[in-house]
Amino acid sequence: MDNADSVNVRVFSLNCWGIRYLSKHCPQRYAMIGEMLSKEEHDIVLLQEVWSEKDYLCLKKKLACTHPHSHYFKSGVIGSGLAIFTKYRIHDTFVYRYSLNGYPYMAHHGDWFGGKAVGMAVLNVGGLTANVYVTHLHAEYCREKDSYLPHRVVQAWELQQFIRHTSAGADVVILGGDLNMHPQDLGNRLLRSYTGLQDSYLETAKFDGCEDGMTLIADNPFITEKELGPFDKGIRIDYILFKSSSKADIHCDSMSTTKGSVPDHPFPYSDHEALTAELRLESCSPAETGADRPLKTQDSTAGRLAELVDIVTEARTEVKVGLHCAERMRYTAARTAVMGLALLFLELAIAAVPWLALGAEQPFPRTSFYLLAVLCFAILLTTSLLYIFYTMELKSLQGAEDQMRLAVSSLQEKLRGFPLAQPHNPPRRPPEGQEPGAFHPEE
Amino acid sequence: MDNADSVNVRVFSLNCWGIRYLSKHCPQRYAMIGEMLSKEEHDIVLLQEVWSEKDYLCLKKKLACTHPHSHYFKSGVIGSGLAIFTKYRIHDTFVYRYSLNGYPYMAHHGDWFGGKAVGMAVLNVGGLTANVYVTHLHAEYCREKDSYLPHRVVQAWELQQFIRHTSAGADVVILGGDLNMHPQDLGNRLLRSYTGLQDSYLETAKFDGCEDGMTLIADNPFITEKELGPFDKGIRIDYILFKSSSKADIHCDSMSTTKGSVPDHPFPYSDHEALTAELRLESCSPAETGADRPLKTQDSTAGRLAELVDIVTEARTEVKVGLHCAERMRYTAARTAVMGLALLFLELAIAAVPWLALGAEQPFPRTSFYLLAVLCFAILLTTSLLYIFYTMELKSLQGAEDQMRLAVSSLQEKLRGFPLAQPHNPPRRPPEGQEPGAFHPEE
């Protein structure tokens, strides 16, 4: 690219599958990852599932020369697992913890303990302000009966909100991570449509990697058939997304993924494939922004608004399903608690009779008495905790649903401002009553 | 104001003290608040401690004509207690839940259950995009020995991050709420210095209200002497803050507070005083922004950067104190858990001896055996939960400390770019390596 005003940025993203003592060959794989990163010298490295801070610090030490700037996003009990390594100075960071992230009692799934979040780092890339986001959404354990779907949809909703609201001042937006969603999944459509983020895989000029850009593939020895389900070749759930602004155009010149094996090594870097996107950032002069760049017609804007209304409505339906489920679970918890309490009172009553009738023999065998009491207390405690937890889940789901309802009505209001019959001259300034800070289909 | 391009906005903020069945005269006070709001017709009403959604819905019904647009921010177990009522259409909302917010076992303080947060609503005010924030930080129960100080400092840190990062696209920023901090408290200085928010009380041309703008006063019948401690007249902990942008200048024409009583009513609206600020928004033309508006000199910018470095360093120290405390608490939890486990094993060992030596008499009285076992289990469960909780607290504190360290080094880097000896001509574009999206002392 002979344009003097363009910067090439190589972005890398990998879910490291770094559960100490549990993930297979974890230390060896981290050594391989560190070696590769220091050799490849990507400009921005976005890692997920770096569950141990020790492993992050090890990588930081190894990459001190090639990637002097880094940040580890802390959250939850274990951590968010998110890390960024970069050549560019990090000026600011911010982290948003998703309000919903699975259930603590589903310890074998472990998502809740990870405290899933989206991390943001503000970098200066060739004079442009780049907001770089890294995230990891709740895993999908069973596609047919996905009880975590409402949680993932709310995470996608919060992710788009976070990116949209924090990136207004950015010239460049880059998001990398494991979204745990197929390309056409609801959350993915919601994220892309609302933020205007573009998918590197779909936009790239050149591609070298797995078929259909898949990042969870059957050829990876760490992947079992069960994990892929009906998608026997693999699925695409890791992404590098980007968004241009009025100050900078972004193009994806090439993209690549690893292919389930690493030359000269007995196993791959992770159970996920790694992504690399070569992005070209071109600064736009203010004049260019106004005059030379093609403007979208009102028709296409209205079309996109209408599409967005449909997607948000679909998301709202999914959240409502989650609401019903959470309400049912909370009701069950409350009912069980009442039963536990009733049992306890019954036991006490039976035991109290001989005490009251002084001298009568205690009919209740002591062992059973205490065991039953313990059981009652355990039930009461567990159900109380569950009740509190489900109440919090309900609040978050209701909150998301409220916001979605408001968003739909705001989008419909905007749609009414776009009569399809009018000539194709979009107004330079949004009409009064229309929100200029939110969704900009023109961008 | 005869400027055609100016809009007057009346902003109202009140902590409603709305704990159903616990706060004194709660239904009567809500009735008074609703009546007053529908009569006064403020443009933007920001309420805190509306703990019950039913009360919010009641107000919503009452204010349907005067304030057709409203939003209740949901969070935590009970809710965030935050609500906004406005004449302007709400185009978008977003909520950020603070990562730290007291302890669940301090149930009598109740903050943890409230899920303290900051709510944001995007409004269109006379063609300007206004980001309106409402928040409520953790209460201060004992100023001399304030164990929640690190939590409140981290909340202030996250609040400034949230406002700074989400308001880049806004023309007007307004924040109202109960910050639970005195005007010169660390968190308050951190918030104001980093975001550039101005205090209505300090900026207002006219003021009518309590001495020193106090919002928690001795004259309020709901306030006990104990609550005010050494500040026998009262304290100022509720604020309306605002910030101009390159597109709009904001002036506070007048401000008022209630004075501990309401005419024709036996008691005041709440235990806090209500604030009203009359803000005048003046749109700036682009030309004005560049040429006519006075630019701060390099010296004052460098001075403000240096001040900010000091404040963030002070906040970091406070967070470190919190870190030590949380580490100690986690250690205690772990040690108690180990002791509980040891006791359980000891008990089982003593009980097992006669079982192994078949026929020997059981020396352990059954009642004591079961009671002790229950005690051990209770200790184990409680300490495990506490251990998990303190780990999460530690992660959040460490995360905030990391971000503060990075912020300090980034600010110092900027400071180095301001040699005090140079002539007072600030560069129009920040030099390479300097972050344009973050703190703008010029704004």
Side-chain angles (χ1 to χ4, degrees):
Chain A
M1 301 301 126
D2 45 73
N3 191 331
D5 257 3
S6 83
V7 191
N8 288 309
V9 179
R10 288 180 69 215
V11 183
F12 175 89
S13 175
L14 173 65
N15 177 325
C16 296
W17 191 37
I19 317 168
R20 279 201 161 197
Y21 317 116
L22 285 177
S23 301
K24 281 178 195 159
H25 310 297
C26 199
Q28 294 94 320
R29 288 190 293 105
Y30 268 120
M32 284 164 61
I33 292 170
E35 203 180 293
M36 178 263 293
L37 289 178
S38 60
K39 209 174 65 187
E40 290 278 339
E41 300 191 16
H42 303 93
D43 299 300
I44 298 169
V45 174
L46 304 172
L47 302 181
Q48 303 96 49
E49 287 210 26
V50 184
W51 292 123
S52 162
E53 202 179 341
K54 279 183 194 153
D55 290 324
Y56 161 76
L57 293 171
C58 251
L59 280 178
K60 188 181 159 90
K61 212 170 155 186
K62 215 174 223 168
L63 304 177
C65 293
T66 52
H67 301 83
H69 308 289
S70 68
H71 191 78
Y72 185 65
F73 296 95
K74 294 193 178 85
S75 156
V77 184
I78 307 170
S80 69
L82 305 172
I84 175 171
F85 291 90
T86 171
K87 288 181 177 178
Y88 308 108
R89 193 177 182 90
I90 299 175
H91 290 280
D92 217 340
T93 56
F94 191 27
V95 62
Y96 180 90
R97 292 156 189 89
Y98 298 123
S99 66
L100 288 172
N101 186 35
Y103 305 97
Y105 54 80
M106 298 298 266
H108 59 298
H109 285 168
D111 293 71
W112 185 84
F113 291 89
K116 298 272 164 71
V118 47
M120 174 180 115
V122 182
L123 316 177
N124 183 299
V125 178
L128 295 167
T129 301
N131 276 22
V132 179
Y133 301 87
V134 54
T135 193
H136 182 196
L137 303 196
H138 198 292
E140 182 184 80
Y141 295 99
C142 171
R143 196 165 173 84
E144 287 68 45
K145 213 183 155 188
D146 183 11
S147 53
Y148 298 114
L149 183 57
H151 284 213
R152 208 178 308 102
V153 169
V154 172
Q155 289 186 343
W157 173 257
E158 290 176 352
L159 175 60
Q160 68 78 14
Q161 281 187 313
F162 184 71
I163 293 179
R164 213 156 37 87
H165 290 298
T166 56
S167 66
D171 305 324
V172 174
V173 176
I174 297 169
L175 164 65
D178 174 5
L179 300 184
N180 270 315
M181 299 187 288
H182 296 214
Q184 283 309 312
D185 278 2
L186 173 59
N188 222 332
R189 283 181 284 135
L190 186 66
L191 172 67
R192 287 205 316 264
S193 308
Y194 227 136
T195 57
L197 280 164
Q198 291 178 288
D199 189 339
S200 306
Y201 172 70
L202 299 177
E203 304 295 327
T204 186
K206 273 190 292 183
F207 178 74
D208 174 33
C210 302
E211 198 184 327
D212 297 327
M214 289 182 298
T215 59
L216 216 59
I217 57 168
D219 287 345
N220 187 309
F222 298 131
I223 294 290
T224 60
E225 248 180 61
K226 210 186 130 208
E227 282 174 79
L228 296 176
F231 308 93
D232 36 311
K233 275 190 181 168
I235 46 179
R236 185 159 81 96
I237 56 171
D238 299 81
Y239 300 83
I240 293 175
L241 307 172
F242 62 84
K243 191 184 165 189
S244 307
S245 75
S246 60
K247 278 209 196 155
D249 259 336
I250 314 188
H251 304 274
C252 184
D253 285 337
S254 82
M255 192 176 178
S256 63
T257 72
T258 52
K259 293 169 190 171
S261 63
V262 180
D264 306 325
H265 285 283
F267 40 77
Y269 298 118
S270 169
D271 59 346
H272 284 242
E273 301 309 312
L275 313 175
T276 307
E278 302 240 7
L279 303 179
R280 180 165 37 90
L281 278 50
E282 283 184 0
S283 304
C284 318
S285 61
E288 214 178 330
T289 332
D292 299 348
R293 304 178 85 198
L295 274 165
K296 297 247 168 67
T297 62
Q298 276 200 350
D299 276 11
S300 82
T301 302
R304 284 189 58 191
L305 277 173
E307 191 196 342
L308 196 49
V309 168
D310 288 347
I311 296 173
V312 179
T313 307
E314 199 181 332
R316 225 182 123 192
T317 311
E318 204 49 66
V319 171
K320 276 183 190 161
V321 171
L323 262 172
H324 284 296
C325 191
E327 262 163 11
R328 214 171 46 229
M329 297 295 277
R330 190 171 74 160
Y331 176 72
T332 306
R335 207 176 46 183
T336 315
V338 170
M339 275 165 59
L341 202 65
L343 195 62
L344 191 68
F345 280 127
L346 188 70
E347 191 194 4
L348 289 176
I350 294 172
V353 171
W355 279 338
L356 294 175
L358 289 163
E361 211 186 324
Q362 174 62 269
F364 221 123
R366 279 202 171 170
T367 318
S368 324
F369 179 82
Y370 289 114
L371 278 180
L372 197 58
V374 169
L375 183 73
C376 291
F377 273 113
I379 289 174
L380 267 178
L381 188 75
T382 316
T383 47
S384 306
L385 288 177
L386 280 177
Y387 188 87
I388 292 178
F389 182 81
Y390 288 126
T391 305
M392 288 167 79
E393 187 188 4
L394 269 175
K395 289 271 171 211
S396 293
L397 286 165
Q398 283 168 348
E401 209 254 306
D402 284 353
Q403 291 171 341
M404 286 175 185
R405 194 182 52 231
L406 197 136
V408 167
S409 85
S410 181
L411 288 168
Q412 280 169 337
E413 179 78 18
K414 273 186 213 172
L415 252 178
R416 278 194 283 276
F418 284 101
L420 290 174
Q422 272 193 15
H424 290 174
N425 289 319
R428 304 302 302 144
R429 196 194 171 104
E432 169 106 24
Q434 195 177 318
E435 201 284 294
F439 175 68
H440 286 295
E442 303 90 336
E443 275 180 19
Chain B
M1 301 303 127
D2 45 74
N3 190 330
D5 257 3
S6 84
V7 192
N8 287 309
V9 179
R10 287 179 72 214
V11 183
F12 176 89
S13 175
L14 173 65
N15 178 325
C16 296
W17 190 38
I19 317 168
R20 278 200 162 199
Y21 316 116
L22 285 176
S23 301
K24 282 177 194 157
H25 310 295
C26 199
Q28 294 93 323
R29 288 191 293 106
Y30 268 120
M32 283 163 62
I33 292 170
E35 202 180 295
M36 179 263 294
L37 289 178
S38 61
K39 206 174 67 188
E40 290 279 338
E41 300 192 17
H42 304 92
D43 299 299
I44 298 170
V45 174
L46 304 171
L47 301 181
Q48 303 96 50
E49 288 210 25
V50 184
W51 291 124
S52 161
E53 202 178 342
K54 279 183 195 153
D55 290 324
Y56 160 75
L57 292 171
C58 251
L59 280 178
K60 189 182 159 90
K61 212 169 155 187
K62 214 175 226 169
L63 303 178
C65 293
T66 53
H67 301 83
H69 308 289
S70 68
H71 191 79
Y72 185 64
F73 296 95
K74 294 193 178 86
S75 156
V77 184
I78 308 170
S80 69
L82 306 172
I84 174 171
F85 291 90
T86 171
K87 288 180 177 176
Y88 308 107
R89 193 178 180 87
I90 300 175
H91 290 280
D92 217 341
T93 56
F94 191 28
V95 63
Y96 180 90
R97 293 156 189 90
Y98 298 123
S99 65
L100 289 172
N101 186 35
Y103 305 97
Y105 54 81
M106 299 298 268
H108 59 298
H109 285 170
D111 293 71
W112 186 84
F113 291 88
K116 297 272 164 70
V118 46
M120 174 181 114
V122 183
L123 316 178
N124 184 299
V125 179
L128 295 166
T129 302
N131 277 22
V132 179
Y133 301 87
V134 54
T135 193
H136 182 194
L137 303 196
H138 198 292
E140 183 183 78
Y141 295 98
C142 170
R143 195 166 173 83
E144 288 69 46
K145 214 182 155 188
D146 183 11
S147 53
Y148 298 114
L149 183 57
H151 284 212
R152 208 178 308 102
V153 169
V154 171
Q155 289 186 343
W157 173 256
E158 290 176 352
L159 176 60
Q160 68 79 14
Q161 281 188 312
F162 184 70
I163 293 178
R164 213 155 38 86
H165 289 299
T166 55
S167 66
D171 305 324
V172 174
V173 177
I174 296 169
L175 164 66
D178 174 5
L179 300 184
N180 270 314
M181 300 187 288
H182 295 217
Q184 283 310 311
D185 277 3
L186 173 59
N188 223 331
R189 284 181 283 134
L190 187 66
L191 172 67
R192 287 205 316 265
S193 308
Y194 228 136
T195 57
L197 281 165
Q198 291 179 289
D199 189 340
S200 305
Y201 172 70
L202 298 178
E203 304 294 327
T204 186
K206 274 190 291 183
F207 178 75
D208 174 33
C210 302
E211 198 185 328
D212 298 327
M214 289 183 297
T215 59
L216 217 59
I217 58 167
D219 287 344
N220 187 308
F222 297 131
I223 294 289
T224 60
E225 248 180 62
K226 211 186 130 207
E227 282 174 80
L228 295 176
F231 308 94
D232 37 309
K233 275 191 181 165
I235 48 179
R236 184 159 80 96
I237 56 171
D238 298 81
Y239 300 84
I240 293 174
L241 306 173
F242 62 85
K243 192 184 164 189
S244 306
S245 74
S246 60
K247 278 207 194 156
D249 259 336
I250 313 189
H251 305 274
C252 183
D253 285 337
S254 82
M255 191 175 179
S256 63
T257 72
T258 51
K259 293 169 191 172
S261 63
V262 181
D264 307 324
H265 285 283
F267 39 77
Y269 298 118
S270 168
D271 59 346
H272 285 243
E273 299 310 312
L275 312 176
T276 308
E278 302 240 8
L279 304 180
R280 180 164 38 88
L281 278 49
E282 283 183 359
S283 304
C284 318
S285 62
E288 215 177 329
T289 333
D292 299 347
R293 304 178 84 197
L295 274 164
K296 297 250 168 66
T297 62
Q298 276 200 349
D299 277 10
S300 82
T301 303
R304 285 189 58 192
L305 277 173
E307 192 198 341
L308 195 49
V309 168
D310 288 346
I311 296 174
V312 179
T313 307
E314 199 182 333
R316 225 183 124 191
T317 311
E318 204 48 67
V319 171
K320 276 183 190 161
V321 171
L323 262 172
H324 283 296
C325 191
E327 262 164 11
R328 214 171 46 229
M329 297 294 277
R330 189 172 73 161
Y331 176 72
T332 306
R335 207 176 44 184
T336 315
V338 169
M339 276 164 59
L341 203 65
L343 194 63
L344 191 69
F345 279 126
L346 188 70
E347 191 195 4
L348 288 176
I350 294 172
V353 170
W355 278 339
L356 293 174
L358 290 162
E361 211 185 323
Q362 172 64 271
F364 221 125
R366 279 202 171 169
T367 317
S368 325
F369 179 82
Y370 289 114
L371 279 181
L372 197 60
V374 169
L375 183 73
C376 290
F377 273 113
I379 290 175
L380 268 178
L381 187 75
T382 316
T383 48
S384 306
L385 287 176
L386 281 176
Y387 188 87
I388 291 177
F389 182 81
Y390 288 126
T391 305
M392 288 167 78
E393 186 188 5
L394 269 174
K395 289 273 172 208
S396 293
L397 286 165
Q398 283 167 350
E401 210 254 306
D402 284 354
Q403 291 172 342
M404 286 175 184
R405 193 182 54 231
L406 197 136
V408 167
S409 85
S410 181
L411 289 168
Q412 280 170 337
E413 179 77 19
K414 273 185 212 171
L415 252 178
R416 277 193 284 276
F418 283 102
L420 290 174
Q422 272 194 14
H424 291 174
N425 289 320
R428 301 305 301 146
R429 195 196 172 102
E432 167 105 25
Q434 199 176 313
E435 200 285 293
F439 174 68
H440 286 295
E442 301 91 335
E443 277 180 17

